PDB file of all heavy atoms in Angstrom:
ATOM      1  N   GLY N 160      -2.145   4.935 -11.598  1.00  0.00           N
ATOM      2  CA  GLY N 160      -2.875   3.841 -10.972  1.00  0.00           C
ATOM      3  C   GLY N 160      -4.336   4.135 -10.736  1.00  0.00           C
ATOM      4  O   GLY N 160      -5.218   3.453 -11.298  1.00  0.00           O
ATOM      5  N   PRO N 161      -4.661   5.155  -9.929  1.00  0.00           N
ATOM      6  CA  PRO N 161      -6.079   5.423  -9.624  1.00  0.00           C
ATOM      7  C   PRO N 161      -6.929   5.726 -10.845  1.00  0.00           C
ATOM      8  O   PRO N 161      -8.130   5.405 -10.855  1.00  0.00           O
ATOM      9  CB  PRO N 161      -6.007   6.630  -8.686  1.00  0.00           C
ATOM     10  CG  PRO N 161      -4.665   6.521  -8.040  1.00  0.00           C
ATOM     11  CD  PRO N 161      -3.764   5.975  -9.102  1.00  0.00           C
ATOM     12  N   GLU N 162      -6.326   6.319 -11.894  1.00  0.00           N
ATOM     13  CA  GLU N 162      -7.108   6.659 -13.092  1.00  0.00           C
ATOM     14  C   GLU N 162      -7.670   5.422 -13.783  1.00  0.00           C
ATOM     15  O   GLU N 162      -8.622   5.516 -14.570  1.00  0.00           O
ATOM     16  CB  GLU N 162      -6.234   7.470 -14.070  1.00  0.00           C
ATOM     17  CG  GLU N 162      -5.250   6.662 -14.894  1.00  0.00           C
ATOM     18  CD  GLU N 162      -4.063   6.137 -14.100  1.00  0.00           C
ATOM     19  OE1 GLU N 162      -3.822   6.615 -12.972  1.00  0.00           O
ATOM     20  OE2 GLU N 162      -3.359   5.233 -14.606  1.00  0.00           O
ATOM     21  N   SER N 163      -7.109   4.253 -13.491  1.00  0.00           N
ATOM     22  CA  SER N 163      -7.580   3.007 -14.107  1.00  0.00           C
ATOM     23  C   SER N 163      -8.814   2.444 -13.420  1.00  0.00           C
ATOM     24  O   SER N 163      -9.409   1.484 -13.909  1.00  0.00           O
ATOM     25  CB  SER N 163      -6.458   1.960 -14.087  1.00  0.00           C
ATOM     26  OG  SER N 163      -5.344   2.389 -14.835  1.00  0.00           O
ATOM     27  N   PHE N 164      -9.202   3.042 -12.292  1.00  0.00           N
ATOM     28  CA  PHE N 164     -10.322   2.518 -11.515  1.00  0.00           C
ATOM     29  C   PHE N 164     -11.358   3.611 -11.247  1.00  0.00           C
ATOM     30  O   PHE N 164     -11.654   3.935 -10.087  1.00  0.00           O
ATOM     31  CB  PHE N 164      -9.805   1.923 -10.201  1.00  0.00           C
ATOM     32  CG  PHE N 164      -8.807   0.821 -10.384  1.00  0.00           C
ATOM     33  CD1 PHE N 164      -7.442   1.094 -10.381  1.00  0.00           C
ATOM     34  CD2 PHE N 164      -9.219  -0.485 -10.603  1.00  0.00           C
ATOM     35  CE1 PHE N 164      -6.510   0.087 -10.567  1.00  0.00           C
ATOM     36  CE2 PHE N 164      -8.306  -1.509 -10.791  1.00  0.00           C
ATOM     37  CZ  PHE N 164      -6.941  -1.216 -10.778  1.00  0.00           C
ATOM     38  N   PRO N 165     -11.920   4.188 -12.305  1.00  0.00           N
ATOM     39  CA  PRO N 165     -12.902   5.261 -12.112  1.00  0.00           C
ATOM     40  C   PRO N 165     -14.119   4.765 -11.339  1.00  0.00           C
ATOM     41  O   PRO N 165     -14.606   3.657 -11.560  1.00  0.00           O
ATOM     42  CB  PRO N 165     -13.268   5.662 -13.542  1.00  0.00           C
ATOM     43  CG  PRO N 165     -12.931   4.458 -14.380  1.00  0.00           C
ATOM     44  CD  PRO N 165     -11.747   3.841 -13.733  1.00  0.00           C
ATOM     45  N   GLY N 166     -14.572   5.594 -10.425  1.00  0.00           N
ATOM     46  CA  GLY N 166     -15.738   5.234  -9.631  1.00  0.00           C
ATOM     47  C   GLY N 166     -15.445   4.354  -8.440  1.00  0.00           C
ATOM     48  O   GLY N 166     -16.349   4.061  -7.655  1.00  0.00           O
ATOM     49  N   LEU N 167     -14.189   3.928  -8.289  1.00  0.00           N
ATOM     50  CA  LEU N 167     -13.809   3.099  -7.153  1.00  0.00           C
ATOM     51  C   LEU N 167     -12.907   3.895  -6.206  1.00  0.00           C
ATOM     52  O   LEU N 167     -12.173   4.778  -6.633  1.00  0.00           O
ATOM     53  CB  LEU N 167     -13.076   1.833  -7.626  1.00  0.00           C
ATOM     54  CG  LEU N 167     -13.876   0.866  -8.492  1.00  0.00           C
ATOM     55  CD1 LEU N 167     -12.999  -0.295  -8.923  1.00  0.00           C
ATOM     56  CD2 LEU N 167     -15.102   0.349  -7.727  1.00  0.00           C
ATOM     57  N   THR N 168     -12.975   3.558  -4.940  1.00  0.00           N
ATOM     58  CA  THR N 168     -12.140   4.223  -3.942  1.00  0.00           C
ATOM     59  C   THR N 168     -10.752   3.613  -3.948  1.00  0.00           C
ATOM     60  O   THR N 168     -10.604   2.393  -3.749  1.00  0.00           O
ATOM     61  CB  THR N 168     -12.752   4.097  -2.537  1.00  0.00           C
ATOM     62  OG1 THR N 168     -14.052   4.686  -2.542  1.00  0.00           O
ATOM     63  CG2 THR N 168     -11.879   4.786  -1.496  1.00  0.00           C
ATOM     64  N   CYS N 169      -9.740   4.426  -4.188  1.00  0.00           N
ATOM     65  CA  CYS N 169      -8.355   3.957  -4.223  1.00  0.00           C
ATOM     66  C   CYS N 169      -7.610   4.460  -2.994  1.00  0.00           C
ATOM     67  O   CYS N 169      -7.782   5.599  -2.565  1.00  0.00           O
ATOM     68  CB  CYS N 169      -7.647   4.441  -5.485  1.00  0.00           C
ATOM     69  SG  CYS N 169      -8.293   3.710  -7.006  1.00  0.00           S
ATOM     70  N   ALA N 170      -6.786   3.603  -2.430  1.00  0.00           N
ATOM     71  CA  ALA N 170      -5.966   3.962  -1.274  1.00  0.00           C
ATOM     72  C   ALA N 170      -4.512   3.721  -1.628  1.00  0.00           C
ATOM     73  O   ALA N 170      -4.111   2.587  -1.904  1.00  0.00           O
ATOM     74  CB  ALA N 170      -6.360   3.136  -0.057  1.00  0.00           C
ATOM     75  N   LEU N 171      -3.717   4.780  -1.656  1.00  0.00           N
ATOM     76  CA  LEU N 171      -2.286   4.679  -1.885  1.00  0.00           C
ATOM     77  C   LEU N 171      -1.601   4.394  -0.550  1.00  0.00           C
ATOM     78  O   LEU N 171      -1.790   5.132   0.423  1.00  0.00           O
ATOM     79  CB  LEU N 171      -1.745   5.966  -2.498  1.00  0.00           C
ATOM     80  CG  LEU N 171      -2.276   6.298  -3.892  1.00  0.00           C
ATOM     81  CD1 LEU N 171      -1.981   7.746  -4.263  1.00  0.00           C
ATOM     82  CD2 LEU N 171      -1.667   5.358  -4.929  1.00  0.00           C
ATOM     83  N   VAL N 172      -0.826   3.325  -0.505  1.00  0.00           N
ATOM     84  CA  VAL N 172      -0.203   2.924   0.761  1.00  0.00           C
ATOM     85  C   VAL N 172       1.279   2.643   0.553  1.00  0.00           C
ATOM     86  O   VAL N 172       1.732   2.370  -0.565  1.00  0.00           O
ATOM     87  CB  VAL N 172      -0.883   1.673   1.369  1.00  0.00           C
ATOM     88  CG1 VAL N 172      -2.369   1.910   1.604  1.00  0.00           C
ATOM     89  CG2 VAL N 172      -0.671   0.456   0.479  1.00  0.00           C
ATOM     90  N   SER N 173       2.020   2.702   1.623  1.00  0.00           N
ATOM     91  CA  SER N 173       3.434   2.338   1.604  1.00  0.00           C
ATOM     92  C   SER N 173       3.585   0.830   1.476  1.00  0.00           C
ATOM     93  O   SER N 173       3.043   0.068   2.285  1.00  0.00           O
ATOM     94  CB  SER N 173       4.104   2.815   2.899  1.00  0.00           C
ATOM     95  OG  SER N 173       5.341   2.160   3.100  1.00  0.00           O
ATOM     96  N   GLY N 174       4.320   0.395   0.458  1.00  0.00           N
ATOM     97  CA  GLY N 174       4.567  -1.034   0.301  1.00  0.00           C
ATOM     98  C   GLY N 174       5.332  -1.604   1.470  1.00  0.00           C
ATOM     99  O   GLY N 174       5.135  -2.766   1.853  1.00  0.00           O
ATOM    100  N   ARG N 175       6.210  -0.805   2.053  1.00  0.00           N
ATOM    101  CA  ARG N 175       6.978  -1.268   3.214  1.00  0.00           C
ATOM    102  C   ARG N 175       6.050  -1.598   4.377  1.00  0.00           C
ATOM    103  O   ARG N 175       6.230  -2.605   5.063  1.00  0.00           O
ATOM    104  CB  ARG N 175       7.993  -0.206   3.605  1.00  0.00           C
ATOM    105  CG  ARG N 175       8.814  -0.525   4.851  1.00  0.00           C
ATOM    106  CD  ARG N 175       9.975   0.455   4.999  1.00  0.00           C
ATOM    107  NE  ARG N 175      10.566   0.400   6.309  1.00  0.00           N
ATOM    108  CZ  ARG N 175      10.247   1.201   7.322  1.00  0.00           C
ATOM    109  NH1 ARG N 175       9.315   2.133   7.137  1.00  0.00           N
ATOM    110  NH2 ARG N 175      10.830   1.080   8.495  1.00  0.00           N
ATOM    111  N   LEU N 176       5.045  -0.776   4.609  1.00  0.00           N
ATOM    112  CA  LEU N 176       4.112  -1.040   5.706  1.00  0.00           C
ATOM    113  C   LEU N 176       3.244  -2.261   5.419  1.00  0.00           C
ATOM    114  O   LEU N 176       2.822  -2.960   6.343  1.00  0.00           O
ATOM    115  CB  LEU N 176       3.210   0.177   5.933  1.00  0.00           C
ATOM    116  CG  LEU N 176       3.896   1.468   6.379  1.00  0.00           C
ATOM    117  CD1 LEU N 176       2.881   2.595   6.446  1.00  0.00           C
ATOM    118  CD2 LEU N 176       4.589   1.283   7.725  1.00  0.00           C
ATOM    119  N   LEU N 177       3.001  -2.521   4.147  1.00  0.00           N
ATOM    120  CA  LEU N 177       2.074  -3.587   3.755  1.00  0.00           C
ATOM    121  C   LEU N 177       2.764  -4.933   3.570  1.00  0.00           C
ATOM    122  O   LEU N 177       2.132  -5.979   3.728  1.00  0.00           O
ATOM    123  CB  LEU N 177       1.377  -3.182   2.454  1.00  0.00           C
ATOM    124  CG  LEU N 177       0.137  -3.956   2.021  1.00  0.00           C
ATOM    125  CD1 LEU N 177      -0.967  -3.844   3.058  1.00  0.00           C
ATOM    126  CD2 LEU N 177      -0.346  -3.443   0.665  1.00  0.00           C
ATOM    127  N   THR N 178       4.054  -4.929   3.248  1.00  0.00           N
ATOM    128  CA  THR N 178       4.703  -6.187   2.857  1.00  0.00           C
ATOM    129  C   THR N 178       5.955  -6.537   3.648  1.00  0.00           C
ATOM    130  O   THR N 178       6.435  -7.663   3.561  1.00  0.00           O
ATOM    131  CB  THR N 178       5.085  -6.154   1.364  1.00  0.00           C
ATOM    132  OG1 THR N 178       6.096  -5.148   1.152  1.00  0.00           O
ATOM    133  CG2 THR N 178       3.881  -5.846   0.488  1.00  0.00           C
ATOM    134  N   TRP N 179       6.496  -5.588   4.419  1.00  0.00           N
ATOM    135  CA  TRP N 179       7.732  -5.881   5.149  1.00  0.00           C
ATOM    136  C   TRP N 179       7.416  -6.426   6.536  1.00  0.00           C
ATOM    137  O   TRP N 179       6.504  -5.952   7.214  1.00  0.00           O
ATOM    138  CB  TRP N 179       8.582  -4.621   5.297  1.00  0.00           C
ATOM    139  CG  TRP N 179       9.246  -4.167   4.037  1.00  0.00           C
ATOM    140  CD1 TRP N 179       8.748  -4.221   2.772  1.00  0.00           C
ATOM    141  CD2 TRP N 179      10.543  -3.565   3.926  1.00  0.00           C
ATOM    142  NE1 TRP N 179       9.652  -3.692   1.883  1.00  0.00           N
ATOM    143  CE2 TRP N 179      10.760  -3.276   2.559  1.00  0.00           C
ATOM    144  CE3 TRP N 179      11.534  -3.222   4.846  1.00  0.00           C
ATOM    145  CZ2 TRP N 179      11.931  -2.684   2.088  1.00  0.00           C
ATOM    146  CZ3 TRP N 179      12.704  -2.628   4.386  1.00  0.00           C
ATOM    147  CH2 TRP N 179      12.903  -2.367   3.029  1.00  0.00           C
ATOM    148  N   TYR N 180       8.203  -7.396   6.981  1.00  0.00           N
ATOM    149  CA  TYR N 180       8.096  -7.914   8.343  1.00  0.00           C
ATOM    150  C   TYR N 180       9.400  -7.566   9.055  1.00  0.00           C
ATOM    151  O   TYR N 180      10.465  -8.100   8.797  1.00  0.00           O
ATOM    152  CB  TYR N 180       7.848  -9.425   8.343  1.00  0.00           C
ATOM    153  CG  TYR N 180       8.424 -10.160   7.157  1.00  0.00           C
ATOM    154  CD1 TYR N 180       9.750 -10.576   7.143  1.00  0.00           C
ATOM    155  CD2 TYR N 180       7.648 -10.411   6.032  1.00  0.00           C
ATOM    156  CE1 TYR N 180      10.288 -11.228   6.046  1.00  0.00           C
ATOM    157  CE2 TYR N 180       8.176 -11.067   4.931  1.00  0.00           C
ATOM    158  CZ  TYR N 180       9.505 -11.471   4.950  1.00  0.00           C
ATOM    159  OH  TYR N 180      10.038 -12.110   3.861  1.00  0.00           O
ATOM    160  N   GLY N 181       9.288  -6.565   9.937  1.00  0.00           N
ATOM    161  CA  GLY N 181      10.442  -6.049  10.656  1.00  0.00           C
ATOM    162  C   GLY N 181      10.004  -4.910  11.539  1.00  0.00           C
ATOM    163  O   GLY N 181       8.836  -4.839  11.960  1.00  0.00           O
ATOM    164  N   PRO N 182      10.893  -3.974  11.862  1.00  0.00           N
ATOM    165  CA  PRO N 182      10.539  -2.851  12.731  1.00  0.00           C
ATOM    166  C   PRO N 182       9.357  -2.030  12.230  1.00  0.00           C
ATOM    167  O   PRO N 182       8.663  -1.401  13.036  1.00  0.00           O
ATOM    168  CB  PRO N 182      11.822  -2.007  12.749  1.00  0.00           C
ATOM    169  CG  PRO N 182      12.914  -2.980  12.457  1.00  0.00           C
ATOM    170  CD  PRO N 182      12.331  -3.957  11.502  1.00  0.00           C
ATOM    171  N   SER N 183       9.118  -2.042  10.917  1.00  0.00           N
ATOM    172  CA  SER N 183       7.979  -1.284  10.381  1.00  0.00           C
ATOM    173  C   SER N 183       6.648  -1.802  10.907  1.00  0.00           C
ATOM    174  O   SER N 183       5.638  -1.082  10.882  1.00  0.00           O
ATOM    175  CB  SER N 183       7.979  -1.342   8.850  1.00  0.00           C
ATOM    176  OG  SER N 183       7.915  -2.682   8.388  1.00  0.00           O
ATOM    177  N   LEU N 184       6.617  -3.036  11.413  1.00  0.00           N
ATOM    178  CA  LEU N 184       5.379  -3.599  11.942  1.00  0.00           C
ATOM    179  C   LEU N 184       4.877  -2.858  13.177  1.00  0.00           C
ATOM    180  O   LEU N 184       3.691  -2.924  13.507  1.00  0.00           O
ATOM    181  CB  LEU N 184       5.580  -5.080  12.294  1.00  0.00           C
ATOM    182  CG  LEU N 184       5.681  -6.058  11.126  1.00  0.00           C
ATOM    183  CD1 LEU N 184       6.066  -7.440  11.627  1.00  0.00           C
ATOM    184  CD2 LEU N 184       4.365  -6.111  10.355  1.00  0.00           C
ATOM    185  N   VAL N 185       5.775  -2.143  13.851  1.00  0.00           N
ATOM    186  CA  VAL N 185       5.360  -1.422  15.065  1.00  0.00           C
ATOM    187  C   VAL N 185       4.366  -0.317  14.721  1.00  0.00           C
ATOM    188  O   VAL N 185       3.329  -0.158  15.375  1.00  0.00           O
ATOM    189  CB  VAL N 185       6.589  -0.838  15.790  1.00  0.00           C
ATOM    190  CG1 VAL N 185       6.142  -0.027  17.009  1.00  0.00           C
ATOM    191  CG2 VAL N 185       7.546  -1.957  16.208  1.00  0.00           C
TER     192      VAL N 185
END
């Protein structure tokens, strides 16, 4: 993934934290 965006800042994140609505929201 990051290799496709040279010169840009990439942030790897948990999809669960970004897209789930449930206890992970805490």
Side-chain angles (χ1 to χ4, degrees):
E162 78 287 345
S163 298
F164 301 94
L167 297 178
T168 301
C169 293
L171 296 165
V172 302
S173 163
R175 177 169 166 265
L176 296 175
L177 195 61
T178 66
W179 287 37
Y180 29 84
S183 59
L184 287 172
V185 177

